[in-house]
Amino acid sequence: MINRFELKSIISLSLFVMIVLHAHLTLAQATDKTPKAVIEKMSSELDAIISTDAEVETIASGFEWVEGPVWVESQKMLLFSDIFKNRIYKWTAAKGKELYLEPSGYSQKAPRGGEIGSNGLAVNSKGQLVLCQHGDRQIAIMNAALDHPKPVFITLANQYDGKKFNSPNDLAIKSNGDIYFTDPPYGLEKGVEDPAKELPYQGVYKISKEGTVTLLIDSLTRPNGIAFFPGEKSLLIANSDAKKPYWYIYDLDKKRGLINGRIFFDGSRAFQKENRSPDGIKIDRKGRVFAPGPGGIWIYNEKGMVLGRIKINVITSNCAFSADYKTLFITADSYVLKVDLK
């Protein structure tokens, strides 16, 4: 027979065990960053793009922070930047992830911290890899074949008006060869307050096919993702500023400059609920926008109407389409994901 003192001890021990188990489960939930995703439909238009039961699959992991994905159809591979590690990785269906290029964005000998690697990547009409290099603060071409990568680079542009860029972040290449890119301060070791910052603004630029650098906009606080709409008559730019979390749209004039700027979508309300501002952008052949932002990948039609969201429990940064637009690749924190589209 259990006396009251033994009973009290048993109850106390049980309560202690319950508290420990609860704390363990709570901690496990708090630290579990395994990607989980659901498709949220906000318009019937989403049905033509993605199934609400589509599975978002993790295809690579173990990075520090990945961005800048680009699908290279000629090699059937996805390339993406691990920014803090100064590396580019590749993923193929046959072999999974492999180291592709190191260094990728900072080639100097002096050690430094921060976001030193490459960010946005693209392949031009000549089949060359074009890189936004944070650490070296330039737009460059890898001077090697795509199937035999080497960390040898040709500088396309590294300054404007005699002053070094901040840290080129993302780029969009027009069909005529012009390169449009954003230049926020994220690759500077101390950000916007870094003493090495030479330009007083965060610009959006164009490198013409002849090599001339033109400042297009100096009024955005944190220009980030950039992409052309079909037909290349208008351009979308994401502003990754918590105070101004907007996606801006601009028209191109006859000189291929930007005019008639206006807000395509205001993310203020969504940003208040989930702490993430606009980042990379991709636009499909029908003008539908896939935009990483609060809570995952937002999907808009060409008029800026929200169609749905790929809601993901880890922070998303960029995305990229396969050549046939049937697969969307997503960089999210230390993971690379993919999901089938219709």
Side-chain angles (χ1 to χ4, degrees), residues 208-219:
S208 72
K209 55 185 178 182
E210 297 82 19
T212 302
V213 180
T214 303
L215 173 65
L216 302 174
I217 308 170
D218 64 3
S219 58

Side-chain angles (χ1 to χ4, degrees), residues 86-317:
N86 199 17
R87 298 169 180 164
I88 292 175
Y89 284 87
K90 76 173 183 179
W91 174 90
T92 60
K95 295 184 178 181
K97 76 171 184 180
E98 299 175 86
L99 181 63
Y100 181 78
L101 188 69
E102 184 181 18
S104 66
Y106 184 64
S107 59
Q108 300 175 46
K109 293 183 179 180
R112 54 152 290 187
E115 300 181 14
I116 62 175
S118 59
N119 194 324
L121 306 172
V123 177
N124 64 19
S125 61
K126 297 179 181 179
Q128 299 168 306
L129 182 64
V130 186
L131 310 90
C132 291
Q133 296 186 308
H134 271 189
D136 287 339
R137 301 167 70 176
Q138 66 179 9
I139 300 291
I141 288 176
M142 182 180 72
N143 191 23
L146 289 171
D147 57 349
H148 290 88
K150 297 178 182 178
V152 180
F153 307 105
I154 299 171
T155 299
L156 294 180
N158 59 13
Q159 60 178 308
Y160 174 73
D161 198 24
K163 298 178 180 179
K164 287 188 68 63
F165 294 135
N166 299 317
S167 55
N169 187 279
D170 202 2
L171 73 166
I173 303 179
K174 202 169 182 288
S175 59
N176 72 342
D178 290 349
I179 299 173
Y180 291 66
F181 70 95
T182 56
D183 188 39
Y186 300 130
L188 296 173
E189 194 167 5
K190 297 180 181 179
V192 73
E193 301 298 329
D194 198 304
K197 181 173 168 47
E198 298 182 15
L199 292 161
Y201 45 75
Q202 338 308 326
V204 178
Y205 300 87
K206 178 187 71 177
I207 307 172
S208 72
K209 55 185 178 182
E210 297 82 19
T212 302
V213 180
T214 303
L215 173 65
L216 302 174
I217 308 170
D218 64 3
S219 58
L220 301 187
T221 51
R222 294 293 185 274
N224 196 317
I226 185 168
F228 285 104
F229 281 93
E232 299 180 338
K233 293 182 179 180
S234 56
L235 183 73
L236 192 65
I237 301 173
N239 192 54
S240 56
D241 183 345
K243 297 179 180 179
K244 294 182 178 181
Y246 308 143
W247 286 266
Y248 293 95
I249 184 171
Y250 295 85
D251 298 326
L252 271 68
D253 62 20
K254 293 181 179 180
K255 295 183 179 180
R256 309 191 298 278
L258 302 184
I259 58 172
N260 193 27
R262 64 241 185 235
I263 294 176
F264 176 79
F265 186 80
D266 182 346
S268 299
R269 185 175 297 180
F271 183 85
Q272 291 173 0
K273 297 178 181 179
E274 296 174 272
N275 186 23
R276 181 61 174 162
S277 53
D279 205 318
I281 308 169
K282 289 296 184 293
I283 302 175
D284 72 11
R285 290 177 291 193
K286 295 186 178 180
R288 298 172 301 205
V289 177
F290 290 69
I297 307 293
W298 291 75
I299 303 173
Y300 310 98
N301 66 14
E302 70 281 2
K303 297 180 181 179
M305 173 184 167
V306 179
L307 306 182
R309 177 173 64 163
I310 305 172
K311 186 176 182 180
I312 305 173
N313 67 326
V314 293
I315 296 175
T316 56
S317 57

